[in-house]
Amino acid sequence: MQNAPIVSVLMPAYNHQNYIQQAIKSIINQTYNNIELIVLDDGSSDLTFEKMNELKEECEKRFQRVHFEKKENEGVVDTVNRLIELSKGEFIFMIASDDLIKEDAIEK
């Protein structure tokens, strides 16, 4: 898979401090290797941003590119549009910050 296209995994997040680490770990555990991970916290009032940053170093070792950002709350449409603007991959894979995916989901 040396020349495999980059898949941009885009994750909008809002007040999911209890779930976001599991969601990110489900991306870390993917069998597909050429991934960039972009997570955008839409102004959470809980510890979502702090929880995602606890995994940043692990993500930087695993992914081609990692971008974690917190912004003022604007809602899901603006957040997804911003995620798409930030993406550089050939393909986009969307996942919510309280979801999990099977290890081969991106590869398939």
Side-chain angles (χ1 to χ4, degrees), residues 65-79:
R65 177 175 170 251
V66 176
H67 182 88
F68 288 175
E69 182 179 319
K70 183 169 183 166
K71 65 175 189 61
E72 182 178 319
N73 182 270
E74 297 175 304
V76 70
V77 173
D78 287 336
T79 301

Side-chain angles (χ1 to χ4, degrees), residues 11-30:
M11 184 182 295
Y14 181 74
N15 285 346
H16 281 157
Q17 70 181 12
N18 295 327
Y19 311 106
I20 193 157
Q21 287 188 343
Q22 290 175 305
I24 290 171
K25 286 179 183 180
S26 77
I27 305 303
I28 290 170
N29 293 329
Q30 288 300 295

Side-chain angles (χ1 to χ4, degrees), residues 52-96:
M52 51 195 259
N53 273 310
E54 288 175 10
L55 294 175
K56 190 164 187 179
E57 186 175 326
E58 185 176 354
C59 289
E60 288 173 340
K61 290 177 185 174
R62 165 63 176 90
F63 301 120
Q64 301 298 319
R65 177 175 170 251
V66 176
H67 182 88
F68 288 175
E69 182 179 319
K70 183 169 183 166
K71 65 175 189 61
E72 182 178 319
N73 182 270
E74 297 175 304
V76 70
V77 173
D78 287 336
T79 301
V80 169
N81 284 338
R82 174 75 177 136
L83 284 164
I84 292 168
E85 287 173 8
L86 291 167
S87 69
K88 297 183 180 189
E90 188 173 335
F91 298 99
I92 290 177
F93 186 96
M94 293 287 301
I95 180 172

